[in-house]
Amino acid sequence: MMALIKMPIVRGHKMKRKKYLVWLDFILLALFLALVATFYIKHQEKHAAVQTEISQTLRSPAVHAEIEGFLLKEDKQALTSKGKIQSYEIDYSSAKPNPMGGIMFTVYVNGDRDIYLKFALSKYTNREGSSQSSEDRYGYSVSYPEKFRQLVGK
């Protein structure tokens, strides 16, 4: 009978390859996470800039003039002691960008959270060479909940 010769098992080559693959996986994962984090940070910065612009726009006198003009169309004596509409309040926390452009927000009437208007506001800018003033102009659409209709008698 032949004597069995024991051959040493060579594991070094497979172990080196396995370590290499583990490190490669780790590096790829780290790069992927860095890329995702970069996009997330950019998205957050853009969102913060949009929210700041929305807040500044809603606080502008031109927007308040548009809201007051609308309220006066609905109630000729609005915002006076004789009017049915005594006051209004913009809910800044409800403001968000409209997918079609502009801003959507809620306006509460007479301090009552049940009487509100949903505004969709769009900004119109004047074209170059236009004879119109350079002031910002806004257009809006409004949804009328039933309680507001009851208030103004429509």
Side-chain angles (χ1 to χ4, degrees), residues 48-98:
V50 167
Q51 287 303 111
T52 300
E53 183 179 353
I54 286 172
S55 179
Q56 289 173 346
T57 300
L58 290 182
R59 285 175 167 75
S60 73
V63 171
H64 284 272
E66 290 292 335
I67 294 169
E68 291 167 10
F70 171 79
L71 294 174
L72 286 168
K73 285 181 195 174
E74 297 300 315
D75 176 9
K76 300 293 184 211
Q77 296 180 334
L79 307 175
T80 67
S81 59
K82 296 179 182 178
K84 295 177 184 176
I85 300 173
Q86 299 286 315
S87 65
Y88 71 93
E89 175 189 351
I90 297 173
D91 181 4
Y92 296 103
S93 66
S94 72
K96 60 185 175 183
N98 185 330

Side-chain angles (χ1 to χ4, degrees), residues 8 10 14 21 30 34 39 83 93 97-98 106 111 113 115 123 128-129 151:
V10 179
K14 287 185 180 181
L21 290 176
F39 282 120
S93 66
N98 185 330
T106 303
R113 298 281 180 183
I115 304 174
K123 183 177 179 180
E128 197 172 312
L151 174 70

Side-chain angles (χ1 to χ4, degrees), residues 32-47:
F32 175 75
L33 291 176
L35 187 64
V36 168
T38 301
F39 282 120
Y40 178 75
I41 290 169
K42 293 285 185 191
H43 172 75
Q44 292 294 26
E45 288 172 353
K46 183 179 177 184
H47 179 72

